[in-house]
Amino acid sequence: RILPDTMGASLRSAAFGAVMAYFFFVFTNGNPTQHVEKLFKMMREGMAGKESVSAFDSVYTGVDGNTQHGAYDGDVARSFYNLATEFYEYGWGDSFHFGTRGRHEPHAKCIANSQHFVATKLQVGDMDRVLDMGCGIGGPLRGVVRATGANVTGLSINEHQIMRAKEITSTLSPWMQARCHFAVQDYLAVKGLEENAYDAAFYMESSLHCEDRTKTFKEAYRLLKPGGRLVAMEYFLLPGWNESDPEHRELMRRHLYGNGAAKTPTIEAGLKMIKDAGFEIKEHFDLMAYLEEQYGDDAWPWWADLQFNWAPHLLPAHPWIRKPLPYVLGALAKIGLVPPDVPAAAELMNEGGDGLSGLGKVGAITPQYYVLGIKPH
């Protein structure tokens, strides 16, 4: 009897270990740039810059549906990314954007699909000068550098993001370090960079934080050489958006608040902002719809990882994990083990995730409407 009991215990331990190993694999390998330890860092230290969720909340008081808050867009973006950056890196990876992939492909594939598309449309080569307008912690910038060899300068208004971008890049090869650069800048009013000097510029979902996008596109226009290329991946409303539908309005309210976003334009209004900055638009279409058509029945839509599904390739972003997280963190905060802004920020992330993915599911918004603009000679 001793041998079977021992064997049974060993088998149970092995089975438990196998299950835990599987979940650890799923938790950390949907995207290899995820850093699960960022959650524990926030639990110890709180939010970057000691940012206050209640102060951020006050900006969106009274915002209903697709309406604009009353604060300066740059200030809102700076505050938001103090709250969001480490949650994004924990739950999504180092590239803070969406993408479409095949149903059985890992999450990293949708990131790669969008970055490869941008790199191709930039049409730049080794050491050509490129701007990443709203670079986050540099994931798309590094993707473009790997694909093209271009010399890319990333701009973000958030000091924590630039510090983290430099930290990640410092671990890479000298070849990469020579081509990846970062600066704290407000892309609505860029200072100190050479005018008429850059071969191309791109926005990877980053203009959603400003209502009048013409302002930032004018900055890109000023810095580009004549003939320079603008590749903008834009948040635009789609025909499925219904302003009079209460569900749509509530989803939009949650998206704007939970993603630190400004009022979202229609396709027509968004294209006009780019034209008003001086660019000639040469090409434009919804990349997410294009990729879904390309993948056909196997397509995994850009919003699907944030909605309930039975194939969680990105477990920290799945409702199974992210929905209970604020409650767990809140309980720890009540006994003084976690700073109080951490559970509040986790709930903010849920608001953004639910609102935006809900809008995507009903066909009301796209995060990557591609626009190619050229600065005339």
Side-chain angles (χ1 to χ4, degrees), residues 236-242 248 251-252 264 302 358-366:
F236 284 165
L237 295 176
L238 295 176
W241 164 252
N242 182 355
H248 285 208
L251 288 170
M252 180 61 76
T264 308
W302 64 267
L359 289 169
K361 189 174 182 179
V362 299
I365 199 170
T366 177

Side-chain angles (χ1 to χ4, degrees), residues 127 138-152 168-182:
M127 295 307 289
L141 183 153
R142 289 184 290 271
V144 167
V145 170
R146 290 187 185 100
T148 66
N151 188 352
V152 187
I168 295 170
T169 304
S170 70
T171 66
L172 304 179
S173 68
W175 187 90
M176 285 291 292
Q177 291 182 46
R179 290 163 172 78
C180 299
H181 314 282
F182 304 94

Side-chain angles (χ1 to χ4, degrees), residues 16-348:
F16 178 76
V19 170
M20 293 303 294
Y22 170 75
F23 276 104
F24 181 79
F25 174 80
V26 173
F27 208 94
T28 58
N29 284 273
N31 186 326
T33 68
Q34 283 176 264
H35 284 273
V36 176
E37 74 276 8
K38 290 295 179 180
L39 176 62
F40 302 108
K41 179 177 181 288
M42 288 184 285
M43 291 169 67
R44 291 193 312 271
E45 301 175 10
M47 311 316 301
K50 304 303 179 185
E51 194 69 44
S52 165
V53 177
S54 60
F56 177 82
D57 287 352
S58 66
V59 172
Y60 285 88
T61 301
V63 172
D64 175 47
N66 191 30
T67 57
Q68 176 65 10
H69 59 72
Y72 177 62
D73 288 325
D75 291 339
V76 176
R78 183 189 296 107
S79 295
F80 175 74
Y81 283 112
N82 278 337
L83 299 171
T85 295
E86 289 187 329
F87 271 110
Y88 283 1
E89 197 173 357
Y90 146 72
W92 201 259
D94 72 353
S95 295
F96 302 166
H97 64 82
F98 290 94
T100 298
R101 67 179 192 269
R103 184 172 299 275
H104 302 294
E105 293 177 328
H107 177 261
K109 178 61 175 174
C110 74
I111 300 298
N113 283 343
S114 291
Q115 291 181 9
H116 175 75
F117 178 86
V118 169
T120 300
K121 293 298 183 179
L122 287 170
Q123 292 189 8
V124 292
D126 192 52
M127 295 307 289
D128 284 345
R129 299 178 72 185
V130 178
L131 289 168
D132 179 352
M133 303 290 280
C135 66
I137 61 172
L141 183 153
R142 289 184 290 271
V144 167
V145 170
R146 290 187 185 100
T148 66
N151 188 352
V152 187
T153 298
L155 311 182
S156 171
I157 199 169
N158 185 276
E159 293 181 6
H160 173 72
Q161 288 194 328
I162 294 299
M163 179 183 69
R164 181 61 180 142
K166 290 179 177 178
E167 182 181 27
I168 295 170
T169 304
S170 70
T171 66
L172 304 179
S173 68
W175 187 90
M176 285 291 292
Q177 291 182 46
R179 290 163 172 78
C180 299
H181 314 282
F182 304 94
V184 178
Q185 288 272 7
D186 180 354
Y187 68 12
L188 295 170
V190 179
K191 298 177 181 177
L193 296 188
E194 185 180 358
E195 296 187 1
N196 300 304
Y198 291 85
D199 299 287
F202 69 94
Y203 293 75
M204 182 62 93
E205 301 185 12
S206 55
S207 71
L208 84 159
H209 299 294
C210 51
E211 181 185 20
D212 182 3
R213 300 182 186 181
T214 301
K215 292 180 180 178
T216 183
F217 295 136
K218 281 184 175 179
E219 292 297 283
Y221 185 93
R222 179 173 62 84
L223 296 167
L224 286 171
K225 297 175 181 177
R229 299 170 72 86
L230 170 76
V231 175
M233 311 304 290
E234 295 294 291
Y235 274 79
F236 284 165
L237 295 176
L238 295 176
W241 164 252
N242 182 355
E243 180 72 30
S244 63
D245 187 325
E247 179 189 2
H248 285 208
R249 290 180 64 83
E250 175 60 9
L251 288 170
M252 180 61 76
R253 182 198 67 77
R254 298 177 75 188
H255 157 55
L256 297 183
Y257 162 63
N259 290 300
K263 180 180 178 181
T264 308
T266 62
I267 294 171
E268 293 75 19
L271 294 176
K272 183 177 185 300
M273 292 182 198
I274 296 175
K275 291 176 183 176
D276 287 349
F279 289 99
E280 296 177 354
I281 294 179
K282 298 297 186 182
E283 188 176 31
H284 64 92
F285 56 83
D286 182 5
L287 178 63
M288 299 297 88
Y290 175 85
L291 288 175
E292 284 187 34
E293 184 177 3
Q294 186 181 85
Y295 275 105
D297 292 341
D298 192 47
W300 187 257
W302 64 267
W303 46 264
D305 284 312
L306 292 169
Q307 293 278 312
F308 180 82
N309 64 81
W310 290 104
H313 290 279
L314 199 67
L315 203 57
H318 194 283
W320 284 340
I321 299 298
R322 64 179 180 83
K323 289 286 195 179
L325 184 60
Y327 298 100
V328 174
L329 295 172
L332 295 174
K334 285 182 178 179
I335 58 176
L337 296 180
V338 171
D341 276 311
V342 177
E347 184 55 36
L348 176 68

